[in-house]
Amino acid sequence: MSRFVLRQPFSPAGDQPQAIEKITGFLSGGAQHSTLLGVTGSGKTFTMANVIQNIQRPTLIISHNKTLAAQLYQELKEFFPENSVHYFVSYYDYYQPEAYIPQTNTYIEKDAKINDLIDSLRHAATASILSRSDTIIVASVSCIYGLGNPEEYEKASIEIKRGQRITPRELAKNLVTLQYKRNSIDPQRGEFRMRGDTIEITTPSHEEVVRIEFSAKSGEETAITAISTRRPDIDATFYPLHATRIFPAKHFIPPQKKLALALKNIRSELRERLLYLKKKGKLLEAQRLEERTRYDLAMIAEMGYSPGIENYSRHLDFREPGKPSYTLIDYFKKSHPNFLTIIDESHASVPQIRGMYAGDKSRKETLIEYGFRLPSALDNRPLRFEEFQEKVDRVLYVSATPAEYELKKSSSHIAKQIIRPTGLLDPKIEIRKTKNQIRDIIGEIKKRSNAGERSLVLTLTKRLAEDITDFLKENGIKTEYLHSDIKTLERPEILKNLRMGNFDALVGINLLREGLDLPEVSFIAILDADKEGFLRNETTLLQMIGRAARHAHGKVIFYADIITASMSKAIDTTEQRRKIQHGYNKLHKVVPRQIIKDIRKSILSARDTIQKNELEDTLGSKKDGVKKFISALELEMKRASKKMDFELAAKIRDRIEKIRKEKTTGTD
């Protein structure tokens, strides 16, 4: 059994040692629920990492947004470089769920742009859970949504051993059953190619290219003589293996031996539903349902897969009506029943978990009523909150502002981290009138920019965020905005550029509220601080204040014309924490020191590096001749365009233009 090995860049300090000891004791002692109440900048992630090492349990960490999840993932990969740390979030850059609006007779077809990189990371996560005990998965709340049956997923996987009696054709057939596609020229993830007595498989996670070689001696059956693997993003060298396991290319894999029975059950439900609709005089709905369902059934029977196959998951999994879909949590339960669940920023994550079921149910009921889906589609759904509670074993809630639910569940099992390892105090807070607030903010940002510091401006709406960004730019301030319309993998890149000083101020709404680690930020402007409500309640204001708690010169300005109850409570709490922190520093002669953190490569940067490396490997060196090099680049640009990877194609185009310019001017 592999063990978690924490690579500690520093020793626990401040309140960390006692918090680590307490939480380890809670979990080891059998406490099902415990809470880490840690102020911003107190090193909660490091405390979590120490706890994981101490209790040695596979761990699921749930975050309420993808940006924070990406940050946690990168931090934990650094803490546990020898262990299996993965990232599991919704694989859509853009997602519009299937819906029907009866009032306007408007059907909204499911519209989704699947992000290939995120999908590969999801496959890496599920494969790791089923094959390794030293696994940490950092996930968004999407981990409670429907996923394929882990039993069937694992059962469908193919174990490959040296000496195994099998022909290339038989293996290829098995791979097709697992939804792999054959690509004889350039296999991408989830694809394979056959060359004579060799098969090369690119795994769905894109972590490996597995080469399998066959031979048949005279009078003997064909057997596997060699297995080797390489990392497609690292080198071209294959390393020998004795055995390996190939997991399916899709998470929804129909049970092949029972597929005919599953399809029969779907047809039976269809007949019953058609009779019901016709009896109610809903002939249009009946016709619509029959056409759509029979098309899907034909696709599944022929190809083993269809768009929207998850809507038939209850039949394919042979679950009883009303039973929940399988989720990522079930993958943990199958292989590691004693796994630990950490809910980060629990004050925001728990309400998300609680609320996902109702919204999904309402949307699907309308689709069913109007003949777009069978009633069994209701069972392709997120977990109900009580189902989630039953499935998790040990839960650690982590937040600077835990809600009543977490505190009540944890009872006396609460550890506090008020004292930061750095000795930094909570930021100072000032209230200013809204008149001429933007001009005032410009002045404050320029002060920080001149000192090499960064600023955040927090608004209530996307439109206002964009308008303020434009206005700040017009006034000579390098500014960007961040909100939910920004793609998942681009968000960490924007935050990295802020930290690097590529721009001075970032304008946003909710995405800048919780958990983000931005130690260069010294100033936060909160607009409309007196607009009492969800975005300006006590908890939210405290979270916003916390974004400036990692800087020695941290300051927050509330722009408001009145002082609300939430503002008053947030200010009081901050002042109380400052007194505790100041008292500790005075007693222990601690001199506050600025947090200095390395700027990590984002997940997006990593993808670009892989693409660049692959491009260089394909094309060779510029020394081979400029003309030949440009021709190769043009070929690669066309290839990228064909795959609709227009971002990469544009980069290659710009590179070609640069090379041609250099050739013309004689520069190198």
Coordinates of all heavy atoms in Angstrom, one line a residue, residues 438 442 445 457 459 461-483 503 505-508 527:
I438 N -15.2 56.2 -7.9 CA -14.3 55.7 -8.9 C -13.0 56.5 -9.0 O -11.9 55.9 -9.1 CB -15.0 55.6 -10.3 CG1 -16.3 54.8 -10.2 CG2 -14.0 55.0 -11.4 CD1 -16.1 53.3 -9.8
I442 N -9.3 55.1 -8.3 CA -8.1 55.3 -9.2 C -6.9 55.7 -8.4 O -5.8 55.3 -8.6 CB -8.5 56.3 -10.3 CG1 -9.5 55.6 -11.3 CG2 -7.2 56.7 -11.1 CD1 -10.1 56.6 -12.3
I445 N -5.5 52.8 -6.3 CA -4.8 51.8 -7.1 C -3.4 52.3 -7.6 O -2.5 51.6 -7.5 CB -5.7 51.5 -8.3 CG1 -6.9 50.7 -7.9 CG2 -4.9 50.6 -9.3 CD1 -7.9 50.4 -9.0
V457 N -11.1 45.2 -7.2 CA -12.3 46.0 -7.1 C -13.5 45.0 -7.3 O -13.6 44.3 -8.3 CB -12.3 47.0 -8.3 CG1 -13.6 47.9 -8.2 CG2 -11.1 48.0 -8.2
T459 N -17.5 44.3 -7.5 CA -18.8 44.9 -7.9 C -19.9 44.0 -7.7 O -19.7 42.8 -7.2 CB -18.7 45.3 -9.4 OG1 -18.8 44.1 -10.2 CG2 -17.5 46.1 -9.7
T461 N -22.3 43.4 -10.3 CA -22.8 42.9 -11.6 C -21.7 42.7 -12.6 O -20.6 43.4 -12.5 CB -23.9 43.8 -12.3 OG1 -23.3 45.0 -12.6 CG2 -25.0 44.0 -11.3
K462 N -21.8 41.8 -13.6 CA -20.9 41.6 -14.7 C -20.7 42.9 -15.5 O -19.6 43.3 -15.8 CB -21.3 40.5 -15.6 CG -21.3 39.1 -14.9 CD -21.8 38.1 -15.9 CE -22.0 36.7 -15.2 NZ -22.6 35.7 -16.1
R463 N -21.8 43.5 -15.8 CA -21.8 44.7 -16.7 C -21.0 45.8 -16.0 O -20.2 46.5 -16.7 CB -23.2 45.2 -16.9 CG -23.3 46.5 -17.7 CD -22.8 46.3 -19.2 NE -22.9 47.5 -19.9 CZ -23.9 47.9 -20.6 NH1 -25.0 47.1 -20.7 NH2 -23.9 49.1 -21.3
L464 N -21.2 46.0 -14.7 CA -20.5 47.0 -14.0 C -19.0 46.7 -13.9 O -18.1 47.6 -14.1 CB -21.0 47.2 -12.6 CG -20.5 48.3 -11.7 CD1 -20.6 49.7 -12.4 CD2 -21.1 48.4 -10.3
A465 N -18.7 45.4 -13.8 CA -17.3 45.0 -13.7 C -16.6 45.3 -15.0 O -15.4 45.8 -15.0 CB -17.2 43.5 -13.5
E466 N -17.3 45.1 -16.2 CA -16.7 45.4 -17.5 C -16.6 46.9 -17.7 O -15.5 47.3 -18.2 CB -17.5 44.7 -18.6 CG -17.5 43.2 -18.5 CD -18.4 42.5 -19.5 OE1 -19.0 43.2 -20.3 OE2 -18.6 41.3 -19.4
D467 N -17.6 47.6 -17.3 CA -17.6 49.1 -17.5 C -16.5 49.7 -16.7 O -15.7 50.6 -17.2 CB -18.9 49.7 -17.1 CG -20.0 49.4 -18.1 OD1 -19.7 48.9 -19.2 OD2 -21.2 49.6 -17.8
I468 N -16.3 49.3 -15.4 CA -15.2 49.9 -14.6 C -13.9 49.5 -15.1 O -13.0 50.3 -15.1 CB -15.4 49.4 -13.1 CG1 -16.6 50.0 -12.5 CG2 -14.2 49.7 -12.3 CD1 -17.0 49.5 -11.1
T469 N -13.7 48.3 -15.6 CA -12.5 47.9 -16.3 C -12.1 48.8 -17.4 O -11.0 49.3 -17.5 CB -12.6 46.4 -16.8 OG1 -12.8 45.6 -15.7 CG2 -11.3 46.0 -17.4
D470 N -13.1 49.1 -18.3 CA -12.8 50.0 -19.4 C -12.4 51.4 -18.9 O -11.5 52.0 -19.5 CB -14.1 50.1 -20.3 CG -14.4 48.8 -21.0 OD1 -13.4 47.9 -21.2 OD2 -15.5 48.5 -21.5
F471 N -13.1 51.9 -17.9 CA -12.9 53.2 -17.4 C -11.5 53.3 -16.8 O -10.7 54.3 -17.0 CB -13.9 53.6 -16.4 CG -13.8 55.1 -16.0 CD1 -14.3 56.1 -16.8 CD2 -13.3 55.4 -14.7 CE1 -14.3 57.4 -16.4 CE2 -13.2 56.7 -14.4 CZ -13.7 57.7 -15.2
L472 N -11.1 52.3 -16.0 CA -9.8 52.3 -15.4 C -8.7 52.2 -16.5 O -7.6 52.9 -16.3 CB -9.6 51.1 -14.5 CG -10.5 51.1 -13.2 CD1 -10.3 49.8 -12.4 CD2 -10.2 52.3 -12.3
K473 N -8.9 51.5 -17.5 CA -7.9 51.4 -18.6 C -7.8 52.8 -19.3 O -6.7 53.2 -19.6 CB -8.4 50.4 -19.7 CG -8.2 48.9 -19.3 CD -8.6 48.0 -20.4 CE -8.3 46.5 -20.0 NZ -8.8 45.6 -21.0
E474 N -8.9 53.5 -19.5 CA -8.9 54.8 -20.1 C -8.1 55.8 -19.2 O -7.6 56.8 -19.7 CB -10.3 55.3 -20.3 CG -11.1 54.6 -21.4 CD -12.6 55.0 -21.4 OE1 -13.0 55.8 -20.6 OE2 -13.3 54.3 -22.1
N475 N -8.0 55.5 -17.9 CA -7.3 56.4 -17.0 C -5.9 55.9 -16.7 O -5.3 56.2 -15.7 CB -8.1 56.6 -15.7 CG -9.2 57.5 -15.9 OD1 -9.1 58.7 -15.7 ND2 -10.4 57.0 -16.3
G476 N -5.4 55.1 -17.6 CA -4.0 54.7 -17.5 C -3.7 53.5 -16.6 O -2.5 53.3 -16.2
I477 N -4.7 52.8 -16.1 CA -4.4 51.7 -15.2 C -4.6 50.4 -15.9 O -5.7 50.1 -16.5 CB -5.4 51.7 -14.0 CG1 -5.1 53.0 -13.1 CG2 -5.2 50.5 -13.1 CD1 -6.1 53.2 -12.0
K478 N -3.6 49.5 -15.9 CA -3.7 48.2 -16.5 C -4.6 47.3 -15.7 O -4.3 47.0 -14.6 CB -2.3 47.6 -16.6 CG -1.3 48.3 -17.6 CD 0.0 47.6 -17.7 CE 0.8 47.9 -16.4 NZ 2.2 47.3 -16.5
T479 N -5.8 47.0 -16.3 CA -6.8 46.3 -15.6 C -7.4 45.2 -16.4 O -7.5 45.3 -17.6 CB -8.0 47.4 -15.3 OG1 -7.4 48.5 -14.7 CG2 -9.0 46.8 -14.3
E480 N -7.9 44.2 -15.7 CA -8.7 43.1 -16.4 C -9.9 42.8 -15.5 O -9.9 43.2 -14.3 CB -7.8 41.8 -16.5 CG -6.6 42.0 -17.4 CD -7.0 42.2 -18.9 OE1 -8.1 41.8 -19.3 OE2 -6.1 42.7 -19.6
Y481 N -10.8 42.1 -16.0 CA -12.0 41.6 -15.2 C -12.1 40.1 -15.2 O -11.5 39.4 -16.0 CB -13.3 42.3 -15.7 CG -13.7 41.8 -17.1 CD1 -14.4 40.6 -17.3 CD2 -13.5 42.7 -18.2 CE1 -14.8 40.2 -18.5 CE2 -13.9 42.3 -19.4 CZ -14.6 41.1 -19.6 OH -15.0 40.7 -20.9
L482 N -12.8 39.6 -14.2 CA -12.9 38.2 -14.0 C -14.3 37.9 -13.5 O -14.7 38.4 -12.5 CB -11.9 37.6 -13.0 CG -11.9 36.1 -12.7 CD1 -11.4 35.4 -14.0 CD2 -11.0 35.7 -11.6
H483 N -15.1 37.1 -14.3 CA -16.4 36.7 -13.8 C -16.7 35.3 -14.5 O -15.9 34.7 -15.2 CB -17.5 37.7 -14.1 CG -17.6 38.2 -15.5 ND1 -17.8 37.4 -16.6 CD2 -17.6 39.5 -16.0 CE1 -17.9 38.1 -17.7 NE2 -17.7 39.4 -17.4
F503 N -0.7 43.2 -15.1 CA -1.6 44.3 -14.9 C -1.8 44.6 -13.4 O -1.3 43.8 -12.6 CB -3.0 44.0 -15.6 CG -3.7 42.8 -15.1 CD1 -4.6 42.8 -14.1 CD2 -3.4 41.6 -15.7 CE1 -5.2 41.6 -13.6 CE2 -4.1 40.4 -15.3 CZ -5.0 40.4 -14.3
A505 N -4.7 45.9 -11.5 CA -6.0 45.8 -10.8 C -6.9 44.8 -11.5 O -6.9 44.7 -12.8 CB -6.7 47.1 -10.8
L506 N -7.6 44.0 -10.7 CA -8.6 43.0 -11.2 C -10.0 43.4 -10.7 O -10.1 43.6 -9.5 CB -8.2 41.6 -10.8 CG -9.0 40.4 -11.3 CD1 -8.9 40.4 -12.8 CD2 -8.5 39.1 -10.7
V507 N -10.9 43.4 -11.6 CA -12.3 43.7 -11.2 C -13.1 42.5 -11.3 O -13.1 41.7 -12.3 CB -12.9 44.8 -12.2 CG1 -14.3 45.3 -11.7 CG2 -11.9 46.0 -12.2
G508 N -14.0 42.2 -10.3 CA -14.8 41.0 -10.4 C -15.9 41.0 -9.4 O -16.2 42.0 -8.8
L527 N -17.4 48.0 -3.7 CA -18.5 48.9 -4.1 C -19.8 48.4 -3.6 O -20.0 47.2 -3.5 CB -18.5 49.0 -5.6 CG -17.2 49.5 -6.3 CD1 -17.4 49.6 -7.8 CD2 -16.8 50.9 -5.8

